[in-house]
């Protein structure tokens, strides 16, 4: 168990309604003892949970927000508030262990050290195995006064039904562009990429920020150059594949298949406005000059098959997969 504050609590513009609901429940003393924050990753649910915790632990909140100045807020900021615990797997993707939940049960039974609320955040709560889930159920079945349990969950279906049914659920969905675009643009060094990043992240703004920070744009550029060279007969498929190996192969395939969908749209509609990757229009036009729809659809199937192989359990050879695709791409170019 740990207390932490490495992420500043934040309410994002697309969470205003959910936050207003929680604030109103706090103000009217109708807060449930467990909240389930449900929705895809990349929507800021963890930040939401931390802000709710900050609000409950603040001694002098104003206007539904923590004051950021009182002793409670200072302890939280320092990551040392004794009445908050955040339970997270030791490594991303690992499970939350039953002994952590057992420690939690002991902690929940103690009285609050600062005399106010106690808050537990479990994130991501779909990483709890059955035993740990059953232990957690004990906390939920015997709620303590002034104690809030917040479960942050990307895949609600993976959560024990008995745990789920004892929480009040708050749903988070990908926001509309009217809300997400201005926020994202303000959080990027290159505002012009905001729309593209939202397309690629399927409208999950925090994931979009992650893509921007990662090598996403450099990777797209390298893929575009490689595909163009092969298409024009200036590049050898295996050499291009070797160059592309400095990037994440799965992301590479996802970018590629996103482009292939654009190519199909362009072939079918002849309308440049129909495509999502607007910055790639010159490359797409070049390719569409001698690409047949049926060949493209076949190739899209190949990419989907290679993607399945790549995420499969059989220790796939990434270079071989990317090489295969580039060789087939060069076949398509010569068709
Ligand atoms: Zn405060």
């Amino acid at each position: 168990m740990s207390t932490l504050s490495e992420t500043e609590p934040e309410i994002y513009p697309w969470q205003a309604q959910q936050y207003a609901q929680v604030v109103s429940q706090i103000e009217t003393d109708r807060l449930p003892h467990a909240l389930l924050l449900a929705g895809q990753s990349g929507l800021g649910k963890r930040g939401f949970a931390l802000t709710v915790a900050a609000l409950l632990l603040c001694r002098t909140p104003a206007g539904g927000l923590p004051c950021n100045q009182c002793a409670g807020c200072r302890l939280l900021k320092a990551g040392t508030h004794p009445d908050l615990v955040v339970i997270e797997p030791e490594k991303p993707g690992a499970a939350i262990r039953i002994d952590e939940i057992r420690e939690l049960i002991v902690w929940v039974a103690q009285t609050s050290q600062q005399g106010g609320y106690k808050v537990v955040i479990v994130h991501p709560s779909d990483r709890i195995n059955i035993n740990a889930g059953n232990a957690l159920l004990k906390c939920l079945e015997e709620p303590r006064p002034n104690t809030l349990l917040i479960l942050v969950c990307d895949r609600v279906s993976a959560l024990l039904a008995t745990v789920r049914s004892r929480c009040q659920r708050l749903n988070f969905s990908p926001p509309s562009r009217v809300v997400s675009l201005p926020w994202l643009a303000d959080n990027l060094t290159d505002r012009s990429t905001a729309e593209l990043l939202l397309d690629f992240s399927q409208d999950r703004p925090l994931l979009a920020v992650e893509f921007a920070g990662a090598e996403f744009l450099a990777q797209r550029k390298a893929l575009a150059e490689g595909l163009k060279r092969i298409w024009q007969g200036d590049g050898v498929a295996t050499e291009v594949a070797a160059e592309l190996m400095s990037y994440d192969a799965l992301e590479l395939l996802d970018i590629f298949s996103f482009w292939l969908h654009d190519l199909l749209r362009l072939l079918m509609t002849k309308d440049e406005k129909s495509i999502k990757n607007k910055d790639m229009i010159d490359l797409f036009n070049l390719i569409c000059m001698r690409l047949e729809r049926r060949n493209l659809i076949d190739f899209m199937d190949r990419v989907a098959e290679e993607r399945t192989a790549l995420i499969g359990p059989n220790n796939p050879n990434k270079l071989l997969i990317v090489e295969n695709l580039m060789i087939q791409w060069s076949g398509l170019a010569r068709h």
Side-chain angles (χ1 to χ4, degrees):
M1 296 205 300
S2 61
T3 58
L4 92 176
S5 69
E6 88 263 14
T7 320
E8 282 287 307
E10 186 163 8
I11 291 299
Y12 300 100
W14 53 89
Q15 303 173 330
Q17 192 204 335
Q18 291 92 330
Y19 191 65
Q21 182 186 325
V22 173
V23 169
S24 143
Q25 286 178 319
I26 294 173
E27 287 173 353
T28 54
D29 223 6
R30 286 181 296 113
L31 194 66
H33 55 86
L35 284 174
L36 171 61
L37 311 187
Q40 292 171 286
S41 62
L43 298 174
K45 300 190 299 300
R46 185 177 181 276
F48 185 94
L50 283 168
T51 308
V52 171
L55 180 60
L56 283 172
L57 298 173
C58 173
R59 292 173 177 185
T60 51
L65 287 168
C67 74
N68 278 325
Q69 280 158 8
C70 70
C73 286
R74 285 203 306 271
L75 282 168
L76 191 85
K77 236 182 192 151
T80 53
H81 201 298
D83 294 325
L84 169 71
V85 294
V86 179
I87 297 189
E88 295 186 306
E90 280 170 353
K91 296 184 292 217
I96 291 171
R97 298 192 323 269
I98 184 161
D99 47 324
E100 290 181 279
I101 303 293
R102 288 199 182 115
E103 271 180 60
L104 174 70
I105 292 169
V106 174
W107 183 83
V108 164
Q110 294 160 357
T111 35
S112 145
Q113 294 208 27
Q114 295 287 307
Y117 245 91
K118 292 170 69 172
V119 185
V120 181
I121 297 173
V122 182
H123 168 264
S125 51
D126 45 54
R127 299 301 308 169
I128 299 179
N129 63 28
I130 287 211
N131 290 339
N134 281 326
L136 185 66
L137 205 53
K138 201 170 146 53
C139 286
L140 292 165
E141 281 169 340
E142 296 158 25
R144 300 271 165 170
N146 291 343
T147 302
L148 177 67
L149 192 63
I150 307 178
L151 304 184
V152 182
C153 193
D154 298 342
R155 293 175 306 133
V156 173
S157 59
L159 199 62
L160 281 183
T162 41
V163 169
R164 223 182 318 166
S165 65
R166 281 174 174 81
C167 304
Q168 187 182 93
R169 182 165 164 171
L170 273 181
N171 288 318
F172 294 80
S173 10
S176 75
R177 294 279 164 105
V178 181
V179 178
S180 58
L181 256 183
W183 178 88
L184 183 59
D186 286 347
N187 282 278
L188 294 175
T189 31
D190 181 359
R191 300 177 70 91
S192 70
T193 57
E195 200 145 14
L196 172 76
L197 289 165
L198 281 175
D199 281 336
F200 196 71
S201 63
Q202 294 174 318
D203 282 303
R204 293 182 278 165
L206 297 196
L207 189 62
V209 170
E210 242 175 71
F211 280 136
E215 293 176 308
F216 179 65
L217 295 171
Q219 192 172 5
R220 289 175 89 249
K221 196 164 167 246
L223 180 64
E225 279 167 7
L227 293 178
K228 186 177 176 185
R229 267 164 50 210
I230 294 175
W231 198 260
Q232 293 180 321
D234 305 332
V236 180
T238 48
E239 278 172 16
V240 170
E243 286 164 21
L244 291 174
M245 285 324 284
S246 51
Y247 300 101
D248 180 85
L250 182 60
E251 231 173 70
L252 205 69
L253 258 61
D254 284 344
I255 293 171
F256 197 10
S257 73
F258 191 31
W259 290 359
L260 295 172
H261 282 95
D262 261 355
L263 280 169
L264 187 61
R265 269 190 284 265
L266 194 57
L267 273 181
M268 289 169 69
T269 64
K270 311 277 177 221
D271 180 6
E272 293 186 1
K273 286 202 242 9
S274 69
I275 67 165
K276 301 271 188 191
N277 296 273
K278 300 222 169 6
D279 58 331
M280 293 291 154
I281 188 62
D282 291 344
L283 174 67
F284 293 170
N285 277 329
L286 175 85
I287 293 167
C288 280
M289 284 194 322
R290 48 187 175 92
L291 178 64
E292 279 186 33
R293 193 197 300 182
R294 215 189 51 210
N295 294 340
L296 173 61
I297 291 171
D298 285 346
F299 184 71
M300 287 166 90
D301 287 343
R302 297 291 89 72
V303 177
E305 281 164 18
E306 297 292 1
R307 190 188 189 279
T308 307
L310 189 65
I311 57 175
N314 301 325
N315 198 16
N317 183 330
K318 292 177 187 173
L319 176 61
L320 207 64
I321 286 175
V322 177
E323 257 182 16
N324 267 341
L325 281 182
M326 291 303 129
I327 289 168
Q328 290 179 48
W329 178 251
S330 94
L332 200 63
R334 283 198 306 267
H335 216 79

